[in-house]
Amino acid sequence: MASREQHSQQQNQTRKVPLFPLLSLVCFVSIFLVLSSIRKTSVPPRPHNASFEFQKTDGSDPSRRGGSCDYSDGKWIHDPDSPPRYDNTCKEIFKGWNCISSGKSNGRELLKWRWKPKGCDLPPFDPVRFLKMYRHTSIGFVGDSLNRNMFVSLFCSLKRASSEVKKWRPAGADRGFTFLQYNLTLAYHRTNLLAHYGRWSADANGGELESLGYKEGYRVDVDIPDGTWAEALSFHDILIFNTGHWWWAPSKFDPTKSPMLFFEKGQPVVPPVLPNVGLDMVLNHMVMLVENRTKPGAVKLFRTQSPRHFEGGDWDQGGSCNRLKPLSVEQVEELFSVKNNGTNVEARLVNQHLYKALKGSSFQILDITHMSEFRADAHPSTAGGKKHDDCMHWCLPGLTDSWNDLFIEQLNIIRSRN
């Protein structure tokens, strides 16, 4: 009897397998599988053409934070031994900007001026180092012809170091090139206002603008990007924007005969607003759009306004720019002071709108205005091939080479901090 009870207890102990170790094992396996699944779904694949990522910043100029050098504040130094980074044989230089080939008297002298920031030095441009550092990267210039001026300068500088180049037009670009050895792409997307615009004529059936007496003008959709760069946001790793010159251009948008008429959400803004208000509306919408649509980690820069140097009148009033040396500090203030409200005041006025729109965004500001205000000598002038002096664009080689020095140094600062 005792042996039978003992046998029965042994059978019961054999059948009562402890559950805790088994449940622990099941839980462990389940947790492992869930975590693996989360990791696979929460980390997006790295873009095939991006070799690095930049983190967001507070929208301020990185060269002005943490006691760093302010590269935008300094003076021009004559440096006769400064080596040229490229010459007038670069085929991408627009004919009207090629001041050496067109025989401008100081065309070669322009290469002998170097920008010297206060308290530090601007590192010399090293095209091979740049190509290596930004391998597998796409850089897009978005803006008017002054951004093309800058785009051509960078292309010609790099072309001298790496000649194996593919010409194409990525993401709706007006022009573009890929340096095949490094898989580095440069592209220029032409847009005058950033926003989409086109001719507008009064509807025979009437409307709000027609009731106010408007018969024709230009419709500007403040919340719709120009189609030339809409696809650029998801393509490029680095973007450099500008706008401004067309906003203060009565010859292009005559306030009486062909005014700018602003539309938002498909409806006209009534009462109609002046271009300076329209510029604020466009900048606010475009900054928000860019913030939302660029690829993760993309760098976004907005270049400040490039100054003009018309003296004696505007471009259509016989204005000229015949100086052969940089201006003095006093001459700069006389020509560009907002208080004087002179011919060239647009540069500082546009910048006021830019700073306001970019505040609090993740854009970096590329400040080239002050350094450029000195260079009344660096425009094509009569050598531009136009009926009037070209005191708006810049000779190449020339000033915009220094813009790119600032641009590259700013990129390197951002990259080193991340």
Side-chain angles (χ1 to χ4, degrees), residues 92 138-144 147-148 151 166-178 185-191 226-236 238-240:
E92 189 60 17
S138 184
I139 303 173
F141 292 80
V142 179
D144 56 34
N147 246 18
R148 180 182 173 185
F151 158 78
K166 171 190 174 183
K167 186 175 182 179
W168 64 308
R169 302 168 71 178
D174 185 69
R175 313 185 73 79
F177 302 91
T178 295
T185 296
L186 301 181
Y188 165 63
H189 301 260
R190 180 178 175 82
T191 174
D226 200 340
T228 57
W229 65 274
E231 297 180 13
L233 301 180
S234 60
F235 183 85
H236 296 297
I238 302 169
L239 289 151
I240 307 99

Coordinates of all heavy atoms in Angstrom, one line a residue, residues 92 138-144 147-148 151 166-178 185-191 226-236 238-240:
E92 N 31.0 76.8 -69.0 CA 29.7 77.1 -68.4 C 29.5 78.6 -68.1 O 28.4 79.0 -67.7 CB 29.6 76.2 -67.1 CG 28.2 76.2 -66.5 CD 27.1 75.7 -67.4 OE1 27.4 75.0 -68.4 OE2 26.0 76.0 -67.0
S138 N 24.2 65.5 -53.4 CA 23.6 66.3 -54.4 C 23.3 67.7 -53.8 O 22.7 67.9 -52.8 CB 22.3 65.7 -54.9 OG 21.7 66.5 -55.9
I139 N 23.8 68.8 -54.6 CA 23.6 70.2 -54.1 C 22.8 70.9 -55.1 O 23.1 70.9 -56.3 CB 25.0 70.8 -54.0 CG1 25.9 70.0 -53.0 CG2 24.9 72.3 -53.5 CD1 27.3 70.5 -53.0
G140 N 21.7 71.5 -54.7 CA 20.8 72.3 -55.5 C 20.8 73.8 -55.2 O 20.6 74.2 -54.1
F141 N 21.0 74.6 -56.3 CA 20.9 76.0 -56.2 C 19.5 76.4 -56.7 O 19.2 76.1 -57.9 CB 21.9 76.7 -57.0 CG 23.3 76.6 -56.4 CD1 24.1 75.4 -56.7 CD2 23.9 77.6 -55.7 CE1 25.4 75.3 -56.2 CE2 25.2 77.4 -55.2 CZ 25.9 76.3 -55.4
V142 N 18.7 77.0 -55.9 CA 17.3 77.4 -56.3 C 17.1 78.9 -56.2 O 17.2 79.5 -55.1 CB 16.3 76.7 -55.3 CG1 14.8 77.0 -55.7 CG2 16.5 75.2 -55.4
G143 N 16.8 79.5 -57.3 CA 16.7 81.0 -57.3 C 16.8 81.6 -58.6 O 16.7 81.0 -59.7
D144 N 17.1 82.9 -58.6 CA 17.2 83.7 -59.9 C 18.6 83.6 -60.5 O 19.4 82.8 -60.0 CB 16.8 85.1 -59.6 CG 17.6 85.8 -58.5 OD1 18.8 85.5 -58.4 OD2 17.0 86.7 -57.8
N147 N 21.8 83.3 -58.3 CA 22.2 81.9 -57.8 C 22.8 81.1 -58.9 O 23.6 80.2 -58.6 CB 20.9 81.2 -57.3 CG 21.0 81.0 -55.8 OD1 21.8 81.7 -55.1 ND2 20.2 80.1 -55.2
R148 N 22.4 81.4 -60.2 CA 23.2 80.7 -61.3 C 24.6 81.2 -61.3 O 25.5 80.4 -61.6 CB 22.5 81.0 -62.6 CG 23.2 80.3 -63.8 CD 22.5 80.6 -65.1 NE 23.3 80.1 -66.2 CZ 23.1 80.3 -67.5 NH1 22.0 81.0 -67.8 NH2 23.9 79.8 -68.4
F151 N 26.3 79.2 -58.8 CA 26.4 77.8 -59.2 C 27.5 77.6 -60.3 O 28.3 76.6 -60.2 CB 25.0 77.4 -59.8 CG 25.0 76.3 -60.8 CD1 25.1 75.0 -60.4 CD2 25.0 76.5 -62.2 CE1 25.1 73.9 -61.3 CE2 25.0 75.4 -63.1 CZ 25.0 74.1 -62.6
K166 N 29.2 64.4 -66.1 CA 28.0 64.1 -66.9 C 27.1 65.3 -66.8 O 26.8 65.8 -65.7 CB 27.3 62.9 -66.3 CG 26.0 62.6 -66.9 CD 25.2 61.5 -66.1 CE 23.8 61.3 -66.6 NZ 23.1 60.3 -65.8
K167 N 26.6 65.8 -68.0 CA 25.7 66.9 -68.0 C 24.2 66.4 -68.1 O 23.9 65.6 -68.9 CB 26.0 67.8 -69.2 CG 25.2 69.1 -69.3 CD 25.6 69.9 -70.5 CE 24.9 71.2 -70.5 NZ 25.4 72.1 -71.6
W168 N 23.4 66.8 -67.2 CA 22.0 66.4 -67.2 C 21.2 67.4 -66.4 O 21.7 68.4 -65.9 CB 21.8 65.0 -66.7 CG 22.2 64.8 -65.2 CD1 23.4 65.1 -64.6 CD2 21.4 64.1 -64.2 NE1 23.4 64.7 -63.3 CE2 22.2 64.1 -63.0 CE3 20.1 63.6 -64.2 CZ2 21.7 63.5 -61.8 CZ3 19.6 63.0 -63.0 CH2 20.4 63.0 -61.9
R169 N 19.8 67.2 -66.3 CA 19.0 68.1 -65.6 C 18.1 67.4 -64.6 O 17.0 67.1 -64.8 CB 18.1 68.8 -66.7 CG 18.9 69.6 -67.7 CD 18.0 70.0 -68.9 NE 17.1 71.1 -68.6 CZ 16.3 71.7 -69.4 NH1 16.3 71.3 -70.7 NH2 15.5 72.7 -69.0
P170 N 18.7 67.1 -63.4 CA 18.0 66.4 -62.4 C 16.8 67.1 -61.7 O 16.9 68.3 -61.5 CB 19.1 66.1 -61.4 CG 20.0 67.2 -61.5 CD 20.0 67.6 -62.9
A171 N 15.7 66.4 -61.5 CA 14.6 67.0 -60.7 C 14.1 68.3 -61.2 O 13.8 69.2 -60.4 CB 15.0 67.1 -59.2
G172 N 14.0 68.4 -62.5 CA 13.5 69.7 -63.1 C 14.4 70.8 -63.2 O 14.0 72.0 -63.5
A173 N 15.7 70.6 -63.0 CA 16.7 71.6 -63.0 C 16.9 72.3 -64.4 O 16.7 71.6 -65.4 CB 18.1 71.1 -62.5
D174 N 17.3 73.5 -64.4 CA 17.6 74.2 -65.6 C 18.9 73.8 -66.2 O 19.1 73.6 -67.4 CB 17.6 75.7 -65.3 CG 17.9 76.6 -66.6 OD1 16.9 76.6 -67.4 OD2 19.0 77.2 -66.7
R175 N 19.9 73.5 -65.2 CA 21.2 73.0 -65.6 C 21.7 72.1 -64.5 O 21.3 72.2 -63.3 CB 22.2 74.1 -65.8 CG 21.7 75.2 -66.7 CD 22.8 76.3 -67.0 NE 23.7 75.8 -67.9 CZ 23.5 75.7 -69.2 NH1 22.4 76.1 -69.7 NH2 24.5 75.3 -70.0
G176 N 22.5 71.1 -64.8 CA 23.0 70.2 -63.8 C 24.2 69.4 -64.3 O 24.3 69.1 -65.5
F177 N 25.1 69.0 -63.4 CA 26.3 68.2 -63.7 C 26.5 67.2 -62.5 O 26.3 67.6 -61.4 CB 27.5 69.1 -63.9 CG 27.4 70.1 -65.0 CD1 26.9 71.4 -64.7 CD2 27.7 69.8 -66.3 CE1 26.7 72.3 -65.6 CE2 27.6 70.8 -67.3 CZ 27.1 72.0 -66.9
T178 N 27.1 66.0 -62.9 CA 27.5 65.1 -61.9 C 29.0 64.8 -62.1 O 29.4 64.5 -63.3 CB 26.7 63.8 -61.9 OG1 25.4 64.0 -61.6 CG2 27.3 62.8 -61.0
T185 N 26.7 65.8 -57.4 CA 25.9 66.5 -58.3 C 25.7 67.9 -57.9 O 25.4 68.2 -56.8 CB 24.5 65.8 -58.5 OG1 24.7 64.4 -59.0 CG2 23.6 66.5 -59.4
L186 N 25.8 68.8 -58.9 CA 25.4 70.2 -58.8 C 24.3 70.5 -59.7 O 24.3 70.1 -60.9 CB 26.6 71.1 -59.1 CG 27.9 71.0 -58.3 CD1 28.9 72.1 -58.8 CD2 27.6 71.2 -56.8
A187 N 23.3 71.2 -59.3 CA 22.2 71.6 -60.2 C 21.7 73.0 -59.9 O 21.7 73.5 -58.7 CB 21.0 70.6 -60.0
Y188 N 21.2 73.6 -60.9 CA 20.6 75.0 -60.8 C 19.1 74.9 -61.2 O 18.8 74.6 -62.3 CB 21.4 76.0 -61.6 CG 20.6 77.3 -61.8 CD1 20.3 78.1 -60.7 CD2 20.2 77.7 -63.1 CE1 19.6 79.3 -60.9 CE2 19.5 78.9 -63.2 CZ 19.2 79.7 -62.1 OH 18.5 80.9 -62.3
H189 N 18.2 75.3 -60.3 CA 16.8 75.4 -60.6 C 16.4 76.9 -60.6 O 16.4 77.6 -59.6 CB 16.0 74.7 -59.5 CG 16.4 73.3 -59.3 ND1 15.6 72.2 -59.8 CD2 17.4 72.7 -58.6 CE1 16.2 71.1 -59.5 NE2 17.3 71.3 -58.8
R190 N 16.1 77.3 -61.8 CA 15.7 78.7 -62.0 C 14.3 79.0 -61.5 O 13.3 78.4 -61.9 CB 15.8 79.1 -63.5 CG 15.5 80.6 -63.8 CD 15.7 81.0 -65.2 NE 15.2 82.4 -65.4 CZ 15.9 83.4 -65.2 NH1 17.2 83.3 -64.7 NH2 15.5 84.6 -65.4
T191 N 14.2 80.0 -60.7 CA 12.9 80.5 -60.3 C 13.0 82.0 -59.8 O 13.9 82.3 -59.0 CB 12.3 79.7 -59.1 OG1 11.1 80.3 -58.6 CG2 13.3 79.5 -58.0
D226 N 7.1 77.2 -57.5 CA 7.4 77.1 -58.9 C 7.7 75.7 -59.3 O 8.5 75.0 -58.6 CB 8.5 78.1 -59.3 CG 8.6 78.5 -60.7 OD1 8.0 77.8 -61.5 OD2 9.2 79.5 -61.0
G227 N 7.2 75.2 -60.4 CA 7.4 73.9 -60.8 C 8.8 73.5 -61.1 O 9.2 72.3 -61.2
T228 N 9.7 74.5 -61.3 CA 11.1 74.2 -61.6 C 11.9 73.6 -60.5 O 12.9 73.1 -60.7 CB 11.8 75.5 -62.1 OG1 11.6 76.5 -61.1 CG2 11.2 76.0 -63.4
W229 N 11.3 73.8 -59.2 CA 12.1 73.3 -58.1 C 11.3 72.4 -57.1 O 11.8 72.0 -56.1 CB 12.8 74.5 -57.3 CG 11.8 75.4 -56.7 CD1 11.2 76.5 -57.3 CD2 11.3 75.4 -55.3 NE1 10.4 77.2 -56.4 CE2 10.5 76.5 -55.1 CE3 11.6 74.6 -54.2 CZ2 9.9 76.8 -53.9 CZ3 11.0 74.9 -53.0 CH2 10.1 76.0 -52.9
A230 N 10.0 72.2 -57.4 CA 9.2 71.5 -56.5 C 9.7 70.1 -56.2 O 9.7 69.6 -55.1 CB 7.8 71.3 -57.1
E231 N 10.3 69.4 -57.2 CA 10.9 68.1 -57.0 C 12.3 68.1 -56.4 O 12.8 67.0 -56.0 CB 10.9 67.3 -58.4 CG 9.5 67.1 -59.0 CD 9.6 66.4 -60.3 OE1 10.7 65.8 -60.6 OE2 8.6 66.3 -61.1
A232 N 12.9 69.2 -56.4 CA 14.3 69.3 -55.9 C 14.3 69.0 -54.4 O 15.4 68.6 -53.9 CB 14.8 70.7 -56.2
L233 N 13.3 69.2 -53.7 CA 13.3 69.1 -52.2 C 13.5 67.6 -51.8 O 14.2 67.4 -50.8 CB 12.0 69.6 -51.6 CG 11.6 71.0 -51.9 CD1 10.3 71.4 -51.3 CD2 12.7 72.0 -51.4
S234 N 13.0 66.7 -52.5 CA 13.2 65.3 -52.2 C 14.5 64.7 -52.9 O 14.8 63.5 -52.7 CB 12.0 64.5 -52.6 OG 11.7 64.6 -54.0
F235 N 15.1 65.5 -53.7 CA 16.3 65.0 -54.4 C 17.6 65.4 -53.8 O 18.5 64.6 -53.7 CB 16.2 65.5 -55.9 CG 17.3 64.9 -56.8 CD1 17.2 63.7 -57.4 CD2 18.5 65.7 -57.0 CE1 18.2 63.2 -58.2 CE2 19.5 65.2 -57.8 CZ 19.4 63.9 -58.4
H236 N 17.8 66.7 -53.5 CA 19.1 67.2 -53.0 C 19.3 67.0 -51.5 O 18.4 67.1 -50.7 CB 19.2 68.7 -53.4 CG 19.1 69.0 -54.9 ND1 20.1 68.5 -55.7 CD2 18.2 69.7 -55.6 CE1 19.8 68.9 -57.0 NE2 18.7 69.6 -56.9
I238 N 21.7 69.1 -50.1 CA 22.0 70.5 -49.7 C 21.3 71.4 -50.7 O 21.4 71.2 -51.9 CB 23.5 70.7 -49.7 CG1 24.3 69.8 -48.8 CG2 23.8 72.2 -49.3 CD1 25.8 69.8 -48.9
L239 N 20.6 72.4 -50.1 CA 19.8 73.4 -51.0 C 20.2 74.8 -50.6 O 20.3 75.1 -49.4 CB 18.3 73.1 -50.8 CG 17.8 71.9 -51.4 CD1 16.6 71.4 -50.6 CD2 17.4 72.1 -52.8
I240 N 20.4 75.6 -51.6 CA 20.8 77.0 -51.4 C 19.7 77.9 -52.2 O 19.6 77.8 -53.4 CB 22.2 77.4 -51.9 CG1 23.2 76.5 -51.4 CG2 22.5 78.8 -51.6 CD1 23.6 75.4 -52.3

